[in-house]
Amino acid sequence: MSQETEMQPYREGLDALAKHYKEILTLLGEDPEREGLLKTPMRVAKAMQTLTRGYEMNAHKVLTDALFKEDYSQMVIVKDIDFFSLCEHHMLPFYGKAHVAYIPNGYITGLSKIARVVDIFAHRLQVQERMTQQIKDCIQDTLKPLGVMVVIEARHMCMQMRGIEKQNSITTTSDFSGAFNQAKTRQEFMNLIHNNQI
């Protein structure tokens, strides 16, 4: 077993996926038998399985595996969570930062688990709007906090590389529940995520 296989177990269908990518190269006008492209179909197949590994992961379990009873009911924020995802419309990357807050209701989870939840939903074919909602719903349904708020800021390569070709546009989405329905609480969160001081 190669070191790469040990580090990254690939899913069933890898060989079939590589075969399809070989056909795609031909349809694009390339010669998949030339030296530079011989290993490309398998490389792309492995990359795509890695970029969509979120389908095999359970975000709810990630949170419950590190659930702790704690009498703390103020805002917990994990901000500037880097992520990369694939837009389901063109299968081109979008990337940026997620900011997540929740107000505990008797239970907290490990801080790294919040970032893991973002990672799981990002590693699927996505639209930013749905990803924002999925992260919020997962935390709300699993931890049952007093409220959750998620803000995602992202750049979309489908806008930068094709179509309108606007290089500096950033898309922001948000979703919230519970205590964050109050404008004052939302504003406190927004002030905190845009404050760069530690």
Side-chain angles (χ1 to χ4, degrees), residues 162-193:
R162 56 161 301 284
I164 197 166
E165 295 185 10
K166 297 301 179 188
Q167 304 305 312
N168 298 309
S169 62
I170 296 175
T171 301
T172 302
T173 51
S174 68
D175 199 3
F176 49 85
S177 64
F180 288 95
N181 283 299
Q182 299 176 21
K184 181 179 178 183
T185 309
R186 291 198 305 276
Q187 189 58 53
E188 179 185 353
F189 171 60
M190 297 302 291
N191 290 342
L192 287 167
I193 67 172

Side-chain angles (χ1 to χ4, degrees), residues 107 115 171 194:
Y107 290 91
T171 301
H194 290 115

Side-chain angles (χ1 to χ4, degrees), residues 56-67:
E56 302 292 308
M57 298 177 175
N58 186 327
H60 295 278
K61 187 174 186 303
V62 165
L63 293 175
T64 56
D65 281 351
L67 198 60

Side-chain angles (χ1 to χ4, degrees), residues 22-36:
K22 185 174 182 179
E23 293 174 5
I24 287 170
L25 287 173
T26 301
L27 291 169
L28 291 174
E30 264 292 358
D31 175 11
E33 299 301 327
R34 73 175 173 86
E35 184 180 7

Side-chain angles (χ1 to χ4, degrees), residues 29 53 68 72 82 99 118 120 184:
R53 66 178 183 257
F68 308 101
Y72 181 82
D82 292 314
H99 315 286
V118 172
I120 287 169
K184 181 179 178 183

Side-chain angles (χ1 to χ4, degrees), residues 81-98:
I81 303 168
D82 292 314
F83 75 88
F84 296 87
S85 191
L86 288 175
C87 168
E88 68 180 33
H89 298 144
H90 302 97
M91 291 179 69
L92 289 172
F94 69 97
Y95 62 94
K97 294 183 183 297

